[in-house]
Amino acid sequence: MKISEIQVSYSTNKLNKIKISNTEDLYSVVLKNWNLNTIELFEEAKIILLNNNNSILGIYNLSKGGVSSTIIDIRLILSIALKTNSSAIILIHNHPSGNLNPSKNDLEITKTTKEACNLLNIKLLDHLIVSKNGYYSFLKEGILTK
């Protein structure tokens, strides 16, 4: 019985990568890569993939959900990070309501993602909750340092 062959590929073609050095720059990059017509319509989750120099390799759209939630699959996050040879990731999602306070589920997914990343020597640099008018940074609020 013949089995399917699995192919994994990765390429980057951008010579001048954007380096992330603070959350304000990160938020600016996120907004430029988000459909602002839907940011208040439904919840989405994305990850930014970074190299060892904190330069952006790319952004990956994880999921689109409803008005109050979306699925964040840690296995998918880690598989994308590994396939792209990322040294670090930043998790991002929006709250269509505009309320930037993290939910209990947001706190739990951040904790679990950080633990999983640590096992694979990938840094979870931040988790941003975004809206058109601002952001909440888990790093800035000290949640990722606990």
Side-chain angles (χ1 to χ4, degrees), residues 80-144:
I80 299 301
L82 290 170
K83 286 175 189 172
T84 57
N85 202 29
S86 299
S87 298
I89 63 169
I90 298 168
L91 184 59
I92 309 142
H93 79 281
N94 66 313
H95 281 176
S97 67
N99 178 356
L100 296 174
N101 294 319
S103 67
K104 182 179 177 185
N105 192 43
D106 294 339
L107 294 167
E108 185 60 35
I109 199 74
T110 303
K111 178 184 174 209
T112 307
T113 303
K114 181 180 178 186
E115 290 169 357
C117 284
N118 286 343
L119 290 173
L120 297 174
N121 200 26
I122 297 169
K123 295 177 223 148
L124 176 61
L125 295 180
D126 205 344
H127 178 178
L128 289 189
I129 300 172
V130 299
S131 75
K132 281 184 181 178
N133 303 314
Y135 66 92
Y136 178 95
S137 164
F138 284 69
L139 178 67
K140 240 180 170 177
E141 295 299 324
I143 294 171
L144 280 174

Short mmCIF file of all heavy atoms in Angstrom, two decimals, residues 80-144:
data_model
loop_
_atom_site.label_atom_id
_atom_site.label_comp_id
_atom_site.label_asym_id
_atom_site.label_seq_id
_atom_site.Cartn_x
_atom_site.Cartn_y
_atom_site.Cartn_z
N ILE A 80 3.17 26.09 12.20
CA ILE A 80 3.56 27.20 11.31
C ILE A 80 4.90 27.78 11.74
O ILE A 80 5.78 28.05 10.91
CB ILE A 80 2.47 28.30 11.29
CG1 ILE A 80 1.14 27.76 10.78
CG2 ILE A 80 2.92 29.52 10.50
CD1 ILE A 80 1.18 27.18 9.39
N ALA A 81 5.09 27.96 13.04
CA ALA A 81 6.37 28.49 13.54
C ALA A 81 7.53 27.57 13.18
O ALA A 81 8.59 28.03 12.76
CB ALA A 81 6.29 28.71 15.05
N LEU A 82 7.32 26.27 13.31
CA LEU A 82 8.38 25.32 12.98
C LEU A 82 8.64 25.28 11.48
O LEU A 82 9.80 25.24 11.06
CB LEU A 82 8.02 23.93 13.50
CG LEU A 82 8.07 23.76 15.02
CD1 LEU A 82 7.46 22.43 15.44
CD2 LEU A 82 9.48 23.92 15.56
N LYS A 83 7.60 25.29 10.69
CA LYS A 83 7.77 25.23 9.23
C LYS A 83 8.50 26.46 8.68
O LYS A 83 9.18 26.39 7.66
CB LYS A 83 6.41 25.11 8.53
CG LYS A 83 5.79 23.75 8.67
CD LYS A 83 4.40 23.75 8.07
CE LYS A 83 3.67 22.46 8.38
NZ LYS A 83 2.27 22.50 7.97
N THR A 84 8.34 27.59 9.35
CA THR A 84 8.99 28.82 8.89
C THR A 84 10.31 29.08 9.60
O THR A 84 10.92 30.13 9.42
CB THR A 84 8.05 30.03 9.08
OG1 THR A 84 7.68 30.13 10.46
CG2 THR A 84 6.82 29.90 8.22
N ASN A 85 10.72 28.12 10.43
CA ASN A 85 11.97 28.25 11.17
C ASN A 85 12.01 29.53 12.02
O ASN A 85 13.04 30.19 12.14
CB ASN A 85 13.17 28.19 10.22
CG ASN A 85 14.44 27.79 10.93
OD1 ASN A 85 14.41 27.07 11.92
ND2 ASN A 85 15.57 28.25 10.41
N SER A 86 10.87 29.87 12.59
CA SER A 86 10.76 31.09 13.41
C SER A 86 11.40 30.89 14.78
O SER A 86 11.26 29.83 15.39
CB SER A 86 9.29 31.46 13.60
OG SER A 86 8.69 31.73 12.37
N SER A 87 12.07 31.92 15.24
CA SER A 87 12.64 31.91 16.59
C SER A 87 11.66 32.47 17.60
O SER A 87 11.78 32.21 18.79
CB SER A 87 13.92 32.74 16.62
OG SER A 87 14.89 32.19 15.77
N ALA A 88 10.71 33.27 17.11
CA ALA A 88 9.75 33.91 18.01
C ALA A 88 8.43 34.15 17.25
O ALA A 88 8.41 34.20 16.02
CB ALA A 88 10.31 35.24 18.52
N ILE A 89 7.38 34.28 18.02
CA ILE A 89 6.07 34.59 17.45
C ILE A 89 5.38 35.65 18.31
O ILE A 89 5.71 35.85 19.48
CB ILE A 89 5.16 33.35 17.34
CG1 ILE A 89 4.86 32.77 18.72
CG2 ILE A 89 5.75 32.33 16.40
CD1 ILE A 89 3.76 31.72 18.72
N ILE A 90 4.41 36.31 17.70
CA ILE A 90 3.53 37.23 18.41
C ILE A 90 2.11 36.84 18.03
O ILE A 90 1.78 36.75 16.85
CB ILE A 90 3.81 38.69 18.02
CG1 ILE A 90 5.24 39.08 18.40
CG2 ILE A 90 2.80 39.62 18.69
CD1 ILE A 90 5.71 40.39 17.82
N LEU A 91 1.31 36.57 19.03
CA LEU A 91 -0.09 36.21 18.82
C LEU A 91 -0.91 37.50 18.83
O LEU A 91 -0.66 38.39 19.63
CB LEU A 91 -0.53 35.28 19.95
CG LEU A 91 -1.92 34.69 19.92
CD1 LEU A 91 -2.15 33.88 18.66
CD2 LEU A 91 -2.13 33.81 21.16
N ILE A 92 -1.88 37.59 17.91
CA ILE A 92 -2.70 38.79 17.79
C ILE A 92 -4.14 38.37 17.55
O ILE A 92 -4.38 37.44 16.78
CB ILE A 92 -2.28 39.67 16.59
CG1 ILE A 92 -0.80 39.95 16.61
CG2 ILE A 92 -3.07 40.96 16.55
CD1 ILE A 92 -0.22 39.95 15.24
N HIS A 93 -5.06 39.03 18.20
CA HIS A 93 -6.46 38.87 17.84
C HIS A 93 -7.19 40.17 18.15
O HIS A 93 -6.70 41.02 18.88
CB HIS A 93 -7.11 37.65 18.51
CG HIS A 93 -7.50 37.82 19.93
ND1 HIS A 93 -6.60 37.76 20.98
CD2 HIS A 93 -8.71 38.05 20.49
CE1 HIS A 93 -7.25 37.93 22.12
NE2 HIS A 93 -8.53 38.11 21.85
N ASN A 94 -8.35 40.32 17.55
CA ASN A 94 -9.13 41.53 17.76
C ASN A 94 -10.35 41.23 18.62
O ASN A 94 -10.77 40.08 18.74
CB ASN A 94 -9.57 42.15 16.43
CG ASN A 94 -10.54 41.26 15.68
OD1 ASN A 94 -10.32 40.06 15.55
ND2 ASN A 94 -11.61 41.84 15.18
N HIS A 95 -10.88 42.25 19.23
CA HIS A 95 -12.16 42.20 19.91
C HIS A 95 -13.09 43.14 19.16
O HIS A 95 -12.92 44.36 19.24
CB HIS A 95 -12.05 42.64 21.37
CG HIS A 95 -11.50 41.60 22.28
ND1 HIS A 95 -11.25 41.84 23.62
CD2 HIS A 95 -11.15 40.30 22.08
CE1 HIS A 95 -10.79 40.75 24.19
NE2 HIS A 95 -10.70 39.79 23.27
N PRO A 96 -14.05 42.60 18.39
CA PRO A 96 -14.95 43.45 17.61
C PRO A 96 -15.70 44.48 18.44
O PRO A 96 -16.03 45.55 17.95
CB PRO A 96 -15.91 42.45 16.97
CG PRO A 96 -15.15 41.18 16.91
CD PRO A 96 -14.28 41.18 18.13
N SER A 97 -15.92 44.19 19.72
CA SER A 97 -16.63 45.12 20.59
C SER A 97 -15.81 46.38 20.89
O SER A 97 -16.36 47.39 21.31
CB SER A 97 -16.96 44.44 21.92
OG SER A 97 -15.76 44.17 22.64
N GLY A 98 -14.51 46.30 20.67
CA GLY A 98 -13.63 47.42 21.01
C GLY A 98 -13.10 47.35 22.43
O GLY A 98 -12.19 48.08 22.80
N ASN A 99 -13.66 46.47 23.26
CA ASN A 99 -13.20 46.28 24.63
C ASN A 99 -11.87 45.53 24.58
O ASN A 99 -11.81 44.39 24.14
CB ASN A 99 -14.23 45.48 25.43
CG ASN A 99 -13.80 45.19 26.85
OD1 ASN A 99 -12.68 45.51 27.26
ND2 ASN A 99 -14.68 44.57 27.61
N LEU A 100 -10.82 46.16 25.03
CA LEU A 100 -9.48 45.59 24.92
C LEU A 100 -9.08 44.72 26.11
O LEU A 100 -8.01 44.11 26.09
CB LEU A 100 -8.45 46.70 24.71
CG LEU A 100 -8.61 47.48 23.41
CD1 LEU A 100 -7.64 48.64 23.36
CD2 LEU A 100 -8.43 46.58 22.20
N ASN A 101 -9.92 44.63 27.12
CA ASN A 101 -9.59 43.80 28.29
C ASN A 101 -9.60 42.32 27.90
O ASN A 101 -10.52 41.86 27.23
CB ASN A 101 -10.58 44.04 29.42
CG ASN A 101 -10.48 45.45 29.96
OD1 ASN A 101 -9.38 45.97 30.12
ND2 ASN A 101 -11.60 46.06 30.23
N PRO A 102 -8.57 41.57 28.35
CA PRO A 102 -8.53 40.15 28.01
C PRO A 102 -9.60 39.36 28.77
O PRO A 102 -9.88 39.64 29.93
CB PRO A 102 -7.13 39.71 28.44
CG PRO A 102 -6.69 40.72 29.44
CD PRO A 102 -7.40 42.00 29.11
N SER A 103 -10.16 38.38 28.08
CA SER A 103 -11.12 37.48 28.73
C SER A 103 -10.35 36.39 29.48
O SER A 103 -9.13 36.24 29.31
CB SER A 103 -12.03 36.84 27.68
OG SER A 103 -11.27 35.96 26.86
N LYS A 104 -11.07 35.61 30.25
CA LYS A 104 -10.45 34.47 30.93
C LYS A 104 -9.83 33.52 29.90
O LYS A 104 -8.73 33.01 30.09
CB LYS A 104 -11.50 33.75 31.77
CG LYS A 104 -10.98 32.59 32.56
CD LYS A 104 -12.07 31.95 33.40
CE LYS A 104 -11.50 30.73 34.11
NZ LYS A 104 -12.53 30.01 34.85
N ASN A 105 -10.53 33.32 28.79
CA ASN A 105 -10.03 32.46 27.72
C ASN A 105 -8.76 33.04 27.08
O ASN A 105 -7.84 32.30 26.76
CB ASN A 105 -11.12 32.23 26.67
CG ASN A 105 -10.76 31.13 25.71
OD1 ASN A 105 -10.27 30.08 26.12
ND2 ASN A 105 -11.00 31.36 24.42
N ASP A 106 -8.71 34.37 26.90
CA ASP A 106 -7.51 35.02 26.35
C ASP A 106 -6.30 34.78 27.25
O ASP A 106 -5.20 34.50 26.78
CB ASP A 106 -7.73 36.53 26.21
CG ASP A 106 -8.77 36.90 25.18
OD1 ASP A 106 -9.07 36.08 24.29
OD2 ASP A 106 -9.31 38.03 25.27
N LEU A 107 -6.52 34.89 28.55
CA LEU A 107 -5.43 34.67 29.52
C LEU A 107 -4.96 33.22 29.48
O LEU A 107 -3.76 32.95 29.49
CB LEU A 107 -5.89 35.04 30.93
CG LEU A 107 -6.20 36.52 31.15
CD1 LEU A 107 -6.96 36.72 32.47
CD2 LEU A 107 -4.93 37.35 31.13
N GLU A 108 -5.91 32.29 29.39
CA GLU A 108 -5.57 30.86 29.37
C GLU A 108 -4.83 30.48 28.08
O GLU A 108 -3.83 29.76 28.13
CB GLU A 108 -6.84 30.02 29.52
CG GLU A 108 -6.58 28.53 29.62
CD GLU A 108 -5.72 28.14 30.80
OE1 GLU A 108 -5.82 28.77 31.88
OE2 GLU A 108 -4.91 27.19 30.64
N ILE A 109 -5.29 30.98 26.94
CA ILE A 109 -4.63 30.63 25.68
C ILE A 109 -3.20 31.21 25.63
O ILE A 109 -2.28 30.59 25.10
CB ILE A 109 -5.46 31.05 24.44
CG1 ILE A 109 -4.99 30.29 23.20
CG2 ILE A 109 -5.37 32.53 24.16
CD1 ILE A 109 -5.40 28.88 23.14
N THR A 110 -3.02 32.38 26.23
CA THR A 110 -1.68 32.98 26.29
C THR A 110 -0.75 32.13 27.14
O THR A 110 0.38 31.84 26.73
CB THR A 110 -1.76 34.41 26.86
OG1 THR A 110 -2.66 35.17 26.05
CG2 THR A 110 -0.40 35.08 26.88
N LYS A 111 -1.23 31.72 28.30
CA LYS A 111 -0.42 30.89 29.20
C LYS A 111 -0.06 29.55 28.54
O LYS A 111 1.10 29.13 28.55
CB LYS A 111 -1.20 30.65 30.50
CG LYS A 111 -0.49 29.76 31.48
CD LYS A 111 -1.36 29.49 32.70
CE LYS A 111 -0.66 28.49 33.59
NZ LYS A 111 -1.55 27.68 34.35
N THR A 112 -1.04 28.91 27.94
CA THR A 112 -0.81 27.61 27.31
C THR A 112 0.12 27.72 26.10
O THR A 112 0.99 26.89 25.90
CB THR A 112 -2.16 26.99 26.89
OG1 THR A 112 -3.02 26.96 28.03
CG2 THR A 112 -1.99 25.57 26.38
N THR A 113 -0.07 28.77 25.31
CA THR A 113 0.79 28.99 24.14
C THR A 113 2.23 29.25 24.57
O THR A 113 3.17 28.71 23.99
CB THR A 113 0.27 30.15 23.27
OG1 THR A 113 -1.07 29.88 22.87
CG2 THR A 113 1.13 30.36 22.05
N LYS A 114 2.40 30.03 25.62
CA LYS A 114 3.75 30.31 26.12
C LYS A 114 4.44 29.03 26.58
O LYS A 114 5.60 28.78 26.26
CB LYS A 114 3.70 31.33 27.26
CG LYS A 114 5.08 31.68 27.80
CD LYS A 114 5.03 32.68 28.92
CE LYS A 114 6.44 32.93 29.42
NZ LYS A 114 6.46 33.79 30.60
N GLU A 115 3.70 28.19 27.31
CA GLU A 115 4.27 26.93 27.79
C GLU A 115 4.66 26.02 26.62
O GLU A 115 5.73 25.41 26.63
CB GLU A 115 3.27 26.22 28.70
CG GLU A 115 3.06 26.91 30.04
CD GLU A 115 1.87 26.37 30.82
OE1 GLU A 115 1.14 25.48 30.32
OE2 GLU A 115 1.68 26.85 31.96
N ALA A 116 3.79 25.93 25.62
CA ALA A 116 4.07 25.09 24.46
C ALA A 116 5.27 25.63 23.67
O ALA A 116 6.13 24.85 23.24
CB ALA A 116 2.83 25.01 23.57
N CYS A 117 5.34 26.92 23.51
CA CYS A 117 6.47 27.53 22.80
C CYS A 117 7.78 27.27 23.53
O CYS A 117 8.80 26.96 22.90
CB CYS A 117 6.26 29.04 22.65
SG CYS A 117 5.07 29.51 21.39
N ASN A 118 7.76 27.37 24.85
CA ASN A 118 8.97 27.12 25.64
C ASN A 118 9.52 25.72 25.41
O ASN A 118 10.74 25.54 25.35
CB ASN A 118 8.70 27.34 27.13
CG ASN A 118 8.56 28.81 27.50
OD1 ASN A 118 8.96 29.69 26.74
ND2 ASN A 118 7.98 29.07 28.64
N LEU A 119 8.63 24.75 25.25
CA LEU A 119 9.08 23.37 25.01
C LEU A 119 9.86 23.24 23.70
O LEU A 119 10.73 22.38 23.58
CB LEU A 119 7.88 22.42 24.98
CG LEU A 119 7.18 22.17 26.32
CD1 LEU A 119 5.92 21.36 26.11
CD2 LEU A 119 8.12 21.46 27.29
N LEU A 120 9.54 24.10 22.73
CA LEU A 120 10.19 24.02 21.42
C LEU A 120 11.23 25.12 21.21
O LEU A 120 11.70 25.32 20.09
CB LEU A 120 9.13 24.10 20.32
CG LEU A 120 8.13 22.94 20.31
CD1 LEU A 120 7.05 23.19 19.28
CD2 LEU A 120 8.83 21.63 20.07
N ASN A 121 11.57 25.83 22.28
CA ASN A 121 12.56 26.90 22.23
C ASN A 121 12.16 28.00 21.24
O ASN A 121 12.98 28.54 20.51
CB ASN A 121 13.94 26.34 21.88
CG ASN A 121 15.06 27.28 22.28
OD1 ASN A 121 14.89 28.09 23.20
ND2 ASN A 121 16.18 27.20 21.61
N ILE A 122 10.87 28.30 21.22
CA ILE A 122 10.32 29.41 20.45
C ILE A 122 9.80 30.43 21.46
O ILE A 122 9.11 30.06 22.40
CB ILE A 122 9.18 28.94 19.52
CG1 ILE A 122 9.71 27.92 18.50
CG2 ILE A 122 8.52 30.12 18.82
CD1 ILE A 122 8.62 27.21 17.72
N LYS A 123 10.14 31.69 21.27
CA LYS A 123 9.70 32.72 22.21
C LYS A 123 8.33 33.26 21.82
O LYS A 123 8.10 33.59 20.66
CB LYS A 123 10.70 33.89 22.23
CG LYS A 123 12.06 33.53 22.74
CD LYS A 123 12.99 34.74 22.64
CE LYS A 123 14.33 34.28 22.13
NZ LYS A 123 15.04 35.20 21.34
N LEU A 124 7.43 33.34 22.78
CA LEU A 124 6.18 34.07 22.59
C LEU A 124 6.48 35.48 23.10
O LEU A 124 6.54 35.71 24.30
CB LEU A 124 5.02 33.43 23.36
CG LEU A 124 3.70 34.20 23.30
CD1 LEU A 124 3.19 34.32 21.86
CD2 LEU A 124 2.65 33.53 24.18
N LEU A 125 6.74 36.40 22.17
CA LEU A 125 7.16 37.74 22.55
C LEU A 125 6.02 38.59 23.11
O LEU A 125 6.22 39.41 23.99
CB LEU A 125 7.80 38.47 21.37
CG LEU A 125 9.09 37.88 20.84
CD1 LEU A 125 9.60 38.70 19.67
CD2 LEU A 125 10.15 37.79 21.93
N ASP A 126 4.82 38.40 22.56
CA ASP A 126 3.68 39.19 23.01
C ASP A 126 2.40 38.57 22.50
O ASP A 126 2.42 37.70 21.63
CB ASP A 126 3.80 40.64 22.51
CG ASP A 126 3.05 41.66 23.39
OD1 ASP A 126 2.21 41.24 24.21
OD2 ASP A 126 3.31 42.86 23.24
N HIS A 127 1.32 39.01 23.07
CA HIS A 127 -0.03 38.69 22.58
C HIS A 127 -0.77 40.02 22.62
O HIS A 127 -0.87 40.65 23.67
CB HIS A 127 -0.69 37.65 23.50
CG HIS A 127 -2.09 37.31 23.10
ND1 HIS A 127 -2.81 36.36 23.77
CD2 HIS A 127 -2.91 37.76 22.11
CE1 HIS A 127 -4.01 36.25 23.22
NE2 HIS A 127 -4.08 37.09 22.22
N LEU A 128 -1.21 40.47 21.46
CA LEU A 128 -1.93 41.74 21.37
C LEU A 128 -3.41 41.49 21.13
O LEU A 128 -3.77 40.64 20.32
CB LEU A 128 -1.42 42.60 20.21
CG LEU A 128 -0.07 43.26 20.26
CD1 LEU A 128 0.08 44.22 19.08
CD2 LEU A 128 0.17 44.00 21.54
N ILE A 129 -4.23 42.25 21.83
CA ILE A 129 -5.64 42.35 21.51
C ILE A 129 -5.77 43.72 20.86
O ILE A 129 -5.35 44.72 21.43
CB ILE A 129 -6.53 42.25 22.76
CG1 ILE A 129 -6.32 40.91 23.46
CG2 ILE A 129 -8.00 42.44 22.37
CD1 ILE A 129 -7.02 40.81 24.81
N VAL A 130 -6.33 43.77 19.66
CA VAL A 130 -6.35 45.02 18.90
C VAL A 130 -7.76 45.46 18.55
O VAL A 130 -8.69 44.66 18.48
CB VAL A 130 -5.50 44.92 17.61
CG1 VAL A 130 -4.05 44.63 17.94
CG2 VAL A 130 -6.06 43.88 16.66
N SER A 131 -7.88 46.76 18.34
CA SER A 131 -9.07 47.37 17.78
C SER A 131 -8.60 48.53 16.91
O SER A 131 -7.40 48.81 16.86
CB SER A 131 -10.01 47.86 18.89
OG SER A 131 -9.51 49.05 19.47
N LYS A 132 -9.52 49.22 16.26
CA LYS A 132 -9.14 50.40 15.47
C LYS A 132 -8.51 51.48 16.33
O LYS A 132 -7.70 52.27 15.86
CB LYS A 132 -10.37 51.00 14.78
CG LYS A 132 -10.83 50.30 13.55
CD LYS A 132 -11.98 51.07 12.93
CE LYS A 132 -12.51 50.39 11.70
NZ LYS A 132 -13.65 51.09 11.12
N ASN A 133 -8.90 51.51 17.60
CA ASN A 133 -8.52 52.64 18.46
C ASN A 133 -7.44 52.34 19.48
O ASN A 133 -7.14 53.19 20.31
CB ASN A 133 -9.76 53.15 19.18
CG ASN A 133 -10.84 53.57 18.20
OD1 ASN A 133 -10.55 54.24 17.23
ND2 ASN A 133 -12.06 53.15 18.44
N GLY A 134 -6.87 51.16 19.45
CA GLY A 134 -5.83 50.87 20.42
C GLY A 134 -5.54 49.39 20.53
O GLY A 134 -6.01 48.58 19.73
N TYR A 135 -4.76 49.05 21.54
CA TYR A 135 -4.36 47.67 21.73
C TYR A 135 -4.11 47.39 23.20
O TYR A 135 -3.93 48.30 24.01
CB TYR A 135 -3.09 47.35 20.93
CG TYR A 135 -1.87 48.10 21.39
CD1 TYR A 135 -1.01 47.55 22.34
CD2 TYR A 135 -1.56 49.36 20.90
CE1 TYR A 135 0.11 48.23 22.78
CE2 TYR A 135 -0.44 50.05 21.32
CZ TYR A 135 0.39 49.48 22.26
OH TYR A 135 1.49 50.16 22.70
N TYR A 136 -4.10 46.11 23.53
CA TYR A 136 -3.73 45.62 24.86
C TYR A 136 -2.56 44.69 24.63
O TYR A 136 -2.64 43.75 23.82
CB TYR A 136 -4.90 44.87 25.50
CG TYR A 136 -4.59 44.30 26.85
CD1 TYR A 136 -4.91 44.99 28.01
CD2 TYR A 136 -3.97 43.06 26.99
CE1 TYR A 136 -4.63 44.47 29.27
CE2 TYR A 136 -3.68 42.53 28.24
CZ TYR A 136 -4.02 43.24 29.37
OH TYR A 136 -3.74 42.71 30.62
N SER A 137 -1.45 44.92 25.31
CA SER A 137 -0.26 44.09 25.18
C SER A 137 -0.08 43.26 26.45
O SER A 137 0.07 43.81 27.53
CB SER A 137 0.97 44.98 24.96
OG SER A 137 2.15 44.26 25.19
N PHE A 138 -0.07 41.95 26.29
CA PHE A 138 0.15 41.07 27.43
C PHE A 138 1.56 41.26 27.98
O PHE A 138 1.77 41.14 29.18
CB PHE A 138 -0.07 39.61 27.02
CG PHE A 138 -1.51 39.23 26.88
CD1 PHE A 138 -2.30 39.74 25.86
CD2 PHE A 138 -2.10 38.36 27.78
CE1 PHE A 138 -3.63 39.39 25.73
CE2 PHE A 138 -3.44 38.00 27.66
CZ PHE A 138 -4.21 38.52 26.64
N LEU A 139 2.51 41.59 27.13
CA LEU A 139 3.88 41.84 27.59
C LEU A 139 3.93 43.13 28.41
O LEU A 139 4.47 43.14 29.52
CB LEU A 139 4.84 41.94 26.39
CG LEU A 139 6.28 42.26 26.75
CD1 LEU A 139 6.91 41.11 27.52
CD2 LEU A 139 7.09 42.56 25.50
N LYS A 140 3.37 44.19 27.87
CA LYS A 140 3.38 45.48 28.56
C LYS A 140 2.68 45.42 29.91
O LYS A 140 3.08 46.10 30.86
CB LYS A 140 2.69 46.54 27.69
CG LYS A 140 3.56 47.69 27.31
CD LYS A 140 2.76 48.66 26.45
CE LYS A 140 3.54 49.92 26.27
NZ LYS A 140 2.87 50.86 25.41
N GLU A 141 1.65 44.61 30.00
CA GLU A 141 0.88 44.49 31.24
C GLU A 141 1.52 43.49 32.21
O GLU A 141 1.00 43.25 33.29
CB GLU A 141 -0.56 44.07 30.94
CG GLU A 141 -1.33 45.10 30.15
CD GLU A 141 -1.47 46.43 30.88
OE1 GLU A 141 -1.61 46.45 32.11
OE2 GLU A 141 -1.42 47.48 30.18
N GLY A 142 2.66 42.90 31.84
CA GLY A 142 3.39 42.01 32.72
C GLY A 142 2.86 40.59 32.79
O GLY A 142 3.33 39.79 33.59
N ILE A 143 1.90 40.25 31.95
CA ILE A 143 1.30 38.92 32.00
C ILE A 143 2.24 37.86 31.44
O ILE A 143 2.29 36.74 31.95
CB ILE A 143 -0.07 38.91 31.27
CG1 ILE A 143 -1.04 39.79 32.08
CG2 ILE A 143 -0.60 37.50 31.10
CD1 ILE A 143 -2.34 40.05 31.41
N LEU A 144 3.02 38.19 30.44
CA LEU A 144 3.95 37.20 29.86
C LEU A 144 5.19 37.00 30.69
O LEU A 144 5.93 36.06 30.47
CB LEU A 144 4.35 37.61 28.43
CG LEU A 144 3.32 37.28 27.37
CD1 LEU A 144 3.74 37.84 26.02
CD2 LEU A 144 3.08 35.80 27.26
#
